[in-house]
Amino acid sequence: MSNLELNLSQFSPVMQSPLYHFGLAAKQEPMNEGKGVWANEIALLSYICLRGDSNNAAFTKAAKKVLGETLPTLPCSLIGTPWGNIYWFSPDEWLIVCPREKRAELQHALQSALVGVHSQVVDNSGGYTSVILRGKHADDVLQHCTVYDLHSLTENKVVGTTFGKSSMFLHRHNDGQNSAYVLIFRRSFADYIWRYLERAATPYGFGISTL
Amino acid sequence: MRINNKNSRVDLTKPLNFNFDGKSYIGYQGDTLASALLANGVKIMARSFKYGRPRGIVGAGAEEPNALVQIDVGAKTTPDLKATQVELYDGLVAQRTSGWPSLAFDLKSVGGRFSRFMPAGFYYKTFKWPANFWPLYESVIRRAAGYGKSPVVPDTETYDHQHHHADVLVVGGGANGLLAALLAGRSGVSVILLDEQSEMGGYLLSTPNATIGGKSAIEWRDGMLAELKSLPNVSLFTRTTAFGLHDMNMIQAVELLQDHLPHSARSQTQRRERMHRIRAAKVTLATGAFERPLVFGNNDVPGVMTASALATYFNRYGVACGKHALILTSNDSAYQAVADLAAGGVKVTLADVRNEINADWDARFKQLGIDIYAGFGISEVLGSTSVTGAQLVKLQANKHAASGAPLTIACDVIASSGGLSPTVHLFCHDGGRPTWSDESLAFVVSSNGRANAGIYCVGAVTGEFQLQKGLVKTVATMMELLLSLGKKVNDKGLHLETNEIATSPAHAIYRIPTTVKAFVDFQNDVAVTDIALAVRENFKSIEHIKRYTALGFGTDQGKLSNVNGFAIAAEFLGKTIPEVGTTTYRPAYTPVSFGALAGAHVADTFEPRRYSAMQVSHEKYQAEYETVGNWMRPWYFPKKNQDMHNEDIHAAVNRECLAARNGVAMLDASTLGKIDIQGKDVREFLNRVYANAWSQLAPGKCRYGLMLDEAGMVMDDGVTACITDTHFLMTTTTGGAAKVMNWLEKWHQTEWPELEVYMTSVTDHWTTAALVGPKSREVLAKLCSDIDLSKDAFKFMDWRDGTVAGVPARVCRISFSGELAYEINVDASYGNYVWQELLSAGAEFDITPYGTETMHVLRAEKGFIIVGQETDGSVTPLDLDMAWAVGMKKPYSFLGKRSLARSDTARSDRKQLVGLLTDDPTFVLKEGAQLINSTNITPPVHMLGHVTSSYYSAFLGRSIAMGFVIDGIKRRDNDNAIFAYANGKAVAVKIVSSVFVDAEGARHNV
Amino acid sequence: MKKDYSIWTLLSQGLKNHVGWQPTWRSPALKSSYDVVIIGAGGHGLATAYYLAREHGVKNIAVLEKGFLGGGNTARNTTIVRSNYLWDEAALLYEHSLKLWEGLTEDINYNVMFSQRGVFNLGHTLQDMRDIERRVNANNLNGIDALALNAQEVKDRIPMINIGKDTRFPIMGASYQPRAGVARHDAVAWGFARAASQYGVDIIENCEVTGMDIANGQMQGLQTNKGFIKTSRVGCVTAGHSSVIAKMAGIKMPLESHPLQAFVSESLKPILDTVVMSNAVHGYVSQSDKGELVIGAGIDHYTSYTQRGSPHIIEHTAAAIIELFPMFSRVRMNRQWGGIVDTTPDACPIISKTKVKGLYFNCGWGTGGFKATPGSGNVFAHTIAHDAPHPLNAAFSLDRFHTGHLIDEHGAAGVAH
Amino acid sequence: MFVISCPHCQEAREEEEFHYEGEAFIARPATPETLSDEAWGDYLFMKKNPKGWHWEMWNHATACRKVFVLKRNTANHTIAGSWTLDKARTVYDAEQAAA
Ligand SMILES: Cc1cc2nc3c(=O)[nH]c(=O)nc-3n(C[C@H](O)[C@H](O)[C@H](O)COP(=O)(O)OP(=O)(O)OC[C@H]3O[C@@H](n4cnc5c(N)ncnc54)[C@H](O)[C@@H]3O)c2cc1C
Ligand SMILES: NC(=O)c1ccc[n+]([C@@H]2O[C@H](COP(=O)([O-])OP(=O)(O)OC[C@H]3O[C@@H](n4cnc5c(N)ncnc54)[C@H](O)[C@@H]3O)[C@@H](O)[C@H]2O)c1
Ligand SMILES: Cc1cc2nc3c(=O)[nH]c(=O)nc-3n(C[C@H](O)[C@H](O)[C@H](O)COP(=O)(O)O)c2cc1C
Ligand SMILES: [Zn+2]
């Protein structure tokens, strides 16, 4: 971890995202033609892991009651809800990504709705972060970083796959005509993943885009 | 000599300066180093491996065995490149890779005169006496071996990988590859076409006078390329070599991005090479063929080459390799070359081992004034450092013997053709085998023989050497391929008729009888006589012959020599060529740099470094790090001492330890694995995966647990908290986290799906600050008002939820140090903030951040184990004297339990963990010291066990250690000392209890 | 035994155009019965036959080989020979072998080019260094040469190596065994074949064992693609294929056969004069006398009998080599291949009787048995001849997997070659 | 280098996304204590390790983290299919019965 912002005296905000030490906020600029790849961290979202048996009506009903939508059961699918996106991770696992402000409410709502139902609700908000990847060479860069076949990555699909020697969850992000992607990965790997991304993007020109 | 050939791909208006072996030359844009050197009349480019014989250029591409050069200098220097594959650029600097002191005179050539004493494998028979001289012999052999020099400074250029998924990958951009790619492209499927050369076209570039559909070869190629480029679903890659074909059509291909550019034009931000990993539904191999030379006497004299190389230099590069060419052939494929050279003003003499020459060709040759010797072969090349002529002999019917006196022909270049050897390499990489075709006289691959694996072959690689026939078959093969993708072939507007002259059958001959050395594999100096010797010595499998003679072992992997070798072996074995078969084709088709293989996985991105949220602060405190699993953990925090140097590790650790024991200190424990487990059967699940019992643990409480593998050996440990009756939070070791998570999931999914539990890793979500020491309560109290921290309200091994520094926190009163201690867990987003707040709050008590080394000392003072340090996969809980952590009465036979009862595992006299004390309190034992019975260290010495942990305890003012001793538990505290051996010395140690500090636990019960 | 290879015979044959050389080993017709049959003409099988004939006077021996002799793992290993193992049982067995290596060229009158250029096992973590210290001390007490070196001492001996602290896994030190080294793998097979053949052993190539005849627990003979062979004693030395042979006898083995891959660079001028191994980064490298860098990878995690593995393993190994030697980045891989290694749960071999009387197994050498070739053959010959293990291989019996008396060498093995 | 279909994600993925988990259907004995050392040792360590078709477990490590069953030929790397654990069981039992 080099390029550190060592001035710790003033702490605001008190929360630090996993990519905090790259000081991305200070470097960001509006996207332009000059660079082929643009990325930035969508910092400090909330990540709630929900586990349960999708064949268990009690579970799916309770989940739907809270989420307003039936949990996606189509493999590798994602849906948008008023809370935020719900990602299918496995037949008995979903990730719900919502704004921090909604975390407590959502978690509580789920837990109380699922009392007595075989399930698990876990707050993993400190454990993940998201990066948005854009630009005309976004596809190329991803091809340098993951073995996944991007052609198969249709809208409303999320896949867990490799990123260099670590892993991530990946989905497309509707962003006009240019293809844009969202990468979700674990905090402790963030430094590695960002460096890897920077390195992979160098030949195309790498910029930090305003969100 | 450079000629002005209108078809040449070389741009004579763009001269380039370059340097070979210390001399400066001029070449042109479009040259390879080989063509430029030939144009400059350079003949000798190497010295042979064993005998130091002068060698020149034989081929024009990947098949070149001789001209290995060292390109560039310093950080960019690259060894063993083939001059035939090095594109010329302005300022290129090349060196020879063999020949000492010089190419003109090689010391080895002196020994070479004794070559008769150095047949294949001679070194197995000698260099044995006197026995102890082998190292000397070896050093001589080693110095004689090797071609180029490895760089000695790190590479400054970079590489990466790119993953592709395509419907159709076409390998090879010759006539057939271009056609195949176009047909695939027109059908709309995604297509990748790649070719190793600087431009598409393959052998068409060497036969400009061929016409396809009435167009000249080049025009036709340009037309194909234009349409291919117009198709959005087709990607074209030149300078890109498919070097490996793996299971399920995973092709590795390396693209050379910068080596062909002058330094001034190379970019630091671009890669030197890129490895493409292409997963293709269907692969079309259009890899062509290499011309096979005929084997004859002194066939290695510089100036002897393949007919196609001669043609390629003449037509593609505008270089005449001589004024008078003697061309020997056994088939018609060399005829075009003969005609082209003669038409281009070179005097050509043609020798054909066959007695009749195809009538149409004969007529052409007559017009061109070519002398023809039908039924003749070359018995011996004349000239030592370059060709001056050759002796022709009339061959008898069987072609294995000559009749009559040889006649001498003067010439300055000799070219031969023994037919074509298809480039079947990729087809064979994943287990495919080529088959011998008597008609093509070659090992060929069938166009659709591996269609079931999605592999199709077109063109010369299938043994179809006729251009027109090949193209027509390519259409048929692609029709079949596209059909399997549910597509139709569309050959609208493609005219494939050529101006070829029908050919007459080739003659099956591989060597011309001779009395002098005739080489099969130039690079390894494998001569016909070596193959004969191998067979004589019973090396009869072709794999043995390869290994005994080194046939095909070189950097060209026998592209020219293998088939001749197989055929000549067959002759000596009295077998047919298919009976002999081939050796195994393996990646790499042509060599590929380690850098390209590694891609981005070097330096900073070699492997992940995992960091906790407190890293920002650790940086500020200038931590030294220890790698634990993938994590970077602070090892200790050196402070500047009075003379402003950093403390050494001992000073730092002593300071950190005393702070923890006497004041307050803090450890970043975030890296511990954390698994959230929920469901009505959690207790039962824990009972099964842990050695100890979990039925009674009440909500609000924590318990230490030992996890065993099925063999009963300790695999992991950690503290697990009961949140509610159906909700537990497990912690694991830092290194074991992922393993344990998979372990739990696997048992649940495969053996106990009926248990209602779900688990989720929350390792990254929680950061953990371990606040340790008598003053920890006071520090915590400053930041935490909503938890009653009093001794009895918040007991040892309790946990509580509350807020610390205003941040929601889960505080566990557990202690890995034996001190009053709190582990404060918060959402990692707040981790660094809370850490900072604790540091400020503790400032008045001189709170001290500490690292893993101090953590180790503190736990060792308490006799706590570290899994992986005290354990090595062969240690049971009882060996650790931790029977208290094993619940033998649990109903379900927990993982590993049964193994503990095996006859050997149940022995009472196994090695057991004990404490160890040296007599000299200042002497710190070596971790890894072996424990023995006496000071007698003359081997063999019976070993009782070893020291697992050893430290200086600043708190106790003496050294302490733990280790394993046979039957150690019984032997505790009896006075007879044992000895710890390390660095050649044995020092006395006493076996004691492994708890050195506060056995009764008074310190944490406050 | 006829000692006919020397500089003199070479010179005299040189003058006669080498027409006088005899077959290196005889290829006699297969007899219908033998006293002992060895399955597998790899280094271990041939060595076994050689010692059976020479030291135990067994007369009527055949070695059956389904392909060409020495074509299995013997043909495809990276030839590292060392004896610095951790546990007594293993250390003493490998040291026995190392001692035999030191006299092997003379013993079998065939130059196996045993080159004692030393082997470094690098340590990259504190625990690596503890393990190294532990192993080195154990080696010394077992009379095995071994040193523990710090990073600078490693650098002094291998100037090219990168001990920078900026690397992902900084080198902290190494264990070093000076007597360790490399040998010419093919020569070992050919030399033992020749020596065994001269003692009358029949080596039958292209003879695949396809079945076993066992009657009331006693070996009766073998079915092969060349017909039935009567014999009461069979030694199985088939490495990766041991489970397949065991199945013929109705025995299950604690073995899994994995691909293990290796590759060589193009031939270079001398640049590395010792052997460097690293478990942490998963790669090891030496330079052969011919000049190519010989590089070994970690095993593929799945089982396979194809003699191929997955390319990402090789890619990682190339990266690992660059991590240790950044200057090799521009050196090029010339050829890559794989073998089938028979791995056991404790990374130690099985040299054992079985519940079938007259059937013996020598297997489980996994990624590290080339170094054991002479020693393994030597003690296995004893085991077969006496129907009882040699003291040095008593601990390596099959029943350790029932008693739990495993000899856990993972620490010392890792990338075990 | 395999392409493996995950029966849960229902998509063919690259080998690098998976972990090999060894021979399938080695059931844990119901009452270990009643087993002899030999029987227990066999359960612990003995493997079929066949040359040919092999029923084995893989874990989709980078995605659904589910263990599933693959039928793969160890002699030529062809793959017959992949199933979830419970489906595989029935297919496997049927195959055993047939044989
Ligand atoms: C890539 C690689 C690198 C290695 N590196 C090292 C190293 O550096 N150092 C080291 O000490 N070890 C190393 N090893 C391990 C070493 O190669 C082996 O342990 C050792 O060579 C085994 O020798 P062997 O004679 O037992 O087996 P093999 O040489 O494999 O011989 C077994 C023979 O049995 C034959 N066979 C099989 N089935 C039958 C049958 N049914 N009928 C007849 N014959 C049959 C096979 O054809 C084969 O020839 C490496 C292995 C590999 C693959
Ligand atoms: N006389 C000769 O020496 C000779 C040689 C080859 C082809 N030909 C003739 O040329 C005509 C066209 O033949 P074709 O199209 O089948 O083959 P081709 O030789 O014309 O083209 C094959 C192309 O594939 C490339 N290639 C081979 N292996 C590769 C790999 N692994 N990666 C990337 N590129 C690779 C080669 O560089 C070449 O450009 C045929 O009539 C054939 O007989 C003649
Ligand atoms: C120590 C060692 C060095 C080798 N050096 C070379 C080499 O320089 N050139 C080469 O083509 N192959 C070399 N090989 C690999 C063999 O050609 C061959 O690939 C290997 O023995 C496996 O056999 P197979 O590829 O026929 O299956 C070497 C093998 C070993 C074990
Ligand atoms: Zn999946």
Side-chain angles (χ1 to χ4, degrees), chain A residues 92-93 148 157 159-161, chain D residues 11 13 17 62 64-66:
Chain A
D92 58 13
E93 183 171 7
Y148 188 73
K157 188 167 174 187
V159 295
T161 185
Chain D
E11 190 166 58
R13 302 285 188 93
E17 291 189 4
T62 65
C64 63
R65 298 190 297 108
K66 288 274 176 273

Side-chain angles (χ1 to χ4, degrees), chain B residues 80 97 116 124 128 138 147-148 155 157 247 536-538 544 584 587 592 594-595 608 630 927 941, chain C residues 5 14 18 24-25 69 111 115 117 130 141 168 267 269 289 307-308 315 329-331 333 335-336:
Chain B
D80 296 343
T97 60
R116 55 169 42 244
Y124 300 128
K128 300 193 272 82
E138 185 184 32
Y147 302 110
D155 197 350
E157 297 186 282
D247 289 310
R536 190 176 306 133
E537 296 195 82
N538 203 28
H544 276 152
T584 306
V592 52
F594 293 5
N630 273 325
E927 289 174 342
V941 178
Chain C
Y5 283 170
H18 302 279
T24 311
W25 61 86
L69 71 80
N111 190 348
S115 167
R117 57 183 71 176
R130 290 182 195 104
L141 293 173
R168 176 64 189 87
S267 182
K269 296 266 176 350
D289 288 346
Q307 295 185 331
R308 332 187 272 280
E315 290 162 13
S329 163
R330 299 175 86 90
V331 173
M333 175 179 85
R335 186 175 173 103
Q336 158 212 325

Side-chain angles (χ1 to χ4, degrees), chain C residues 39-45 64-68 70-81 207-209 237-241 245 248 260-262 284 337-341 365-372 417:
Chain C
I39 311 177
H44 287 218
L64 310 182
E65 169 54 51
K66 78 171 157 78
F68 64 102
N73 289 348
T74 301
R76 51 197 76 236
N77 79 92
T78 48
T79 79
I80 297 168
V81 174
C207 178
E208 176 164 8
V209 172
V237 203
T238 55
H241 280 79
I245 306 284
M248 299 174 188
L260 182 63
Q261 304 182 71
Y284 54 103
W337 66 93
I340 313 164
V341 296
W365 293 97
T367 61
F370 176 73
K371 63 178 67 63
H417 334 285

Side-chain angles (χ1 to χ4, degrees), chain B residues 23-104:
Chain B
K23 279 208 205 62
S24 297
Y25 302 93
I26 291 185
Y28 298 93
Q29 192 64 44
D31 263 325
T32 62
L33 177 59
S35 63
L37 286 169
L38 288 166
N40 283 281
V42 179
K43 290 244 158 68
I44 306 179
M45 267 148 234
R47 286 290 187 151
S48 78
F49 170 65
K50 231 159 112 187
Y51 309 134
R53 293 167 67 111
R55 293 283 165 83
I57 286 172
V58 177
E63 78 281 20
E64 172 59 32
N66 289 336
L68 303 182
V69 292
Q70 182 95 24
I71 297 294
D72 221 323
V73 295
K76 284 195 168 64
T77 194
T78 312
D80 296 343
L81 297 177
K82 298 173 179 86
T84 52
Q85 293 188 296
V86 174
E87 289 179 59
L88 202 65
Y89 57 82
D90 196 49
L92 178 144
V93 176
Q95 276 291 331
R96 68 177 192 275
T97 60
S98 53
W100 189 87
S102 75
L103 278 176

Side-chain angles (χ1 to χ4, degrees), chain B residues 495-766:
Chain B
H495 304 291
L496 304 177
E497 64 284 352
T498 67
N499 62 343
E500 281 166 297
I501 294 176
T503 60
S504 39
H507 180 76
I509 184 169
Y510 305 91
R511 68 183 187 99
I512 313 291
T514 180
T515 54
V516 297
K517 269 216 180 316
F519 288 90
V520 179
D521 183 325
F522 297 105
Q523 193 174 105
N524 288 298
D525 272 337
V526 180
V528 172
T529 49
D530 294 309
I531 295 176
L533 175 65
V535 170
R536 190 176 306 133
E537 296 195 82
N538 203 28
F539 292 91
K540 292 196 168 135
S541 154
I542 193 62
E543 290 289 0
H544 276 152
I545 292 168
K546 161 191 168 178
R547 288 163 164 80
Y548 194 60
T549 63
L551 171 76
F553 238 60
T555 59
D556 57 326
Q557 290 287 291
K559 290 184 180 64
L560 285 181
S561 58
N562 272 355
V563 175
N564 279 332
F566 307 155
I568 291 165
E571 176 190 339
F572 293 128
L573 287 163
K575 290 184 174 175
T576 66
I577 296 173
E579 280 169 347
V580 168
T582 71
T583 50
T584 306
Y585 297 83
R586 294 271 193 184
Y589 162 70
T590 55
V592 52
S593 72
F594 293 5
L597 288 168
H601 301 130
V602 294
D604 248 10
T605 44
F606 172 63
E607 269 190 19
R609 286 186 173 99
R610 299 176 69 182
Y611 294 101
S612 88
M614 286 81 135
Q615 181 61 19
V616 178
S617 162
H618 302 334
E619 287 285 329
K620 183 169 163 227
Y621 281 78
Q622 285 163 11
E624 290 288 329
Y625 296 96
E626 173 187 8
T627 303
V628 186
N630 273 325
W631 290 90
M632 300 301 285
R633 296 195 70 178
W635 183 20
Y636 61 98
F637 292 88
K639 268 194 174 167
K640 295 250 178 293
N641 50 24
Q642 47 278 37
D643 44 9
M644 289 319 285
H645 291 78
N646 275 349
E647 297 170 306
D648 68 5
I649 180 168
H650 305 294
V653 168
N654 291 345
R655 176 178 47 77
E656 293 172 8
C657 286
L658 291 174
R661 292 270 178 235
N662 302 331
V664 60
M666 192 157 65
L667 171 81
D668 179 356
S670 309
T671 61
L672 291 184
K674 305 170 207 76
I675 303 171
D676 183 288
I677 314 179
Q678 299 182 32
K680 75 171 173 34
D681 299 321
V682 180
R683 288 182 190 279
E684 174 58 16
F685 185 71
L686 294 176
N687 278 332
R688 296 181 180 194
V689 297
Y690 271 130
N692 44 334
W694 296 86
S695 309
Q696 304 307 327
L697 187 66
K701 295 258 163 227
C702 308
R703 173 173 293 165
Y704 174 86
L706 259 190
M707 203 174 278
L708 314 186
D709 62 24
E710 262 294 52
M713 304 302 151
V714 172
M715 148 182 162
D716 204 77
D717 69 346
V719 169
T720 291
C722 176
I723 311 301
T724 70
D725 284 316
T726 61
H727 183 185
F728 286 65
L729 184 66
M730 173 188 284
T731 62
T732 75
T733 60
T734 296
K739 183 176 177 213
V740 170
M741 183 68 193
N742 291 338
W743 175 256
L744 300 184
E745 278 285 358
K746 189 174 178 182
W747 281 104
H748 181 229
Q749 292 177 34
T750 59
E751 283 291 326
W752 315 315
E754 71 282 2
L755 291 188
E756 283 195 1
V757 290
Y758 284 119
M759 53 220 109
T760 298
S761 165
V762 287
T763 303
D764 288 70
H765 171 71
W766 296 103

Side-chain angles (χ1 to χ4, degrees), chain A residues 17-59:
Chain A
S17 73
L19 291 172
Y20 165 84
H21 59 286
F22 287 103
L24 300 180
K27 298 180 188 158
Q28 64 191 15
E29 56 179 314
M31 291 207 280
N32 59 57
E33 278 309 298
K35 289 162 180 164
V37 180
W38 295 88
N40 201 347
E41 180 183 23
I42 310 172
L44 302 171
L45 293 169
S46 271
Y47 299 84
I48 308 278
C49 297
L50 173 63
R51 299 198 62 176
D53 178 354
S54 44
N55 302 319
N56 172 355
F59 169 74

Side-chain angles (χ1 to χ4, degrees), chain B residues 245-410:
Chain B
L245 186 152
H246 303 276
D247 289 310
M248 304 175 184
N249 300 340
M250 159 63 74
I251 285 79
Q252 291 170 296
V254 64
E255 180 179 15
L256 308 183
L257 291 160
Q258 300 218 61
D259 278 9
H260 61 288
L261 301 173
H263 289 186
S264 56
R266 297 186 194 179
S267 156
Q268 270 302 325
T269 60
Q270 300 303 314
R271 309 303 180 202
R272 175 180 177 232
E273 299 175 359
R274 169 164 296 152
M275 191 183 85
H276 299 278
R277 276 162 133 226
I278 305 159
R279 181 70 77 175
K282 310 286 172 185
V283 175
T284 303
L285 298 177
T287 49
F290 292 108
E291 193 174 52
R292 191 164 65 228
L294 287 161
V295 177
F296 43 86
N298 289 340
N299 57 338
D300 66 329
V301 175
V304 180
M305 53 175 57
T306 64
S308 56
L310 185 66
T312 299
Y313 289 116
F314 191 83
N315 287 322
R316 179 172 176 180
Y317 299 103
V319 176
C321 297
K323 294 193 175 55
H324 180 176
L326 168 59
I327 298 181
L328 173 68
T329 187
S330 64
N331 65 89
D332 293 3
S333 75
Y335 283 177
Q336 188 60 49
V338 172
D340 292 347
L341 266 78
V346 176
K347 179 172 177 10
V348 182
T349 305
L350 171 65
D352 194 317
V353 301
R354 297 168 297 183
N355 298 343
E356 284 87 36
I357 309 282
N358 169 302
D360 307 352
W361 279 111
D362 199 44
R364 278 275 289 286
F365 294 154
K366 291 269 166 25
Q367 288 169 3
L368 292 160
I370 295 166
D371 319 345
I372 301 176
Y373 294 86
F376 278 78
I378 297 174
S379 64
E380 182 171 346
V381 174
L382 305 175
S384 54
T385 56
S386 71
V387 169
T388 59
Q391 295 197 327
L392 292 187
V393 287
K394 179 85 185 155
L395 296 169
Q396 289 179 2
N398 63 16
K399 310 287 183 203
H400 290 321
S403 59
L407 45 106
T408 304
I409 304 281

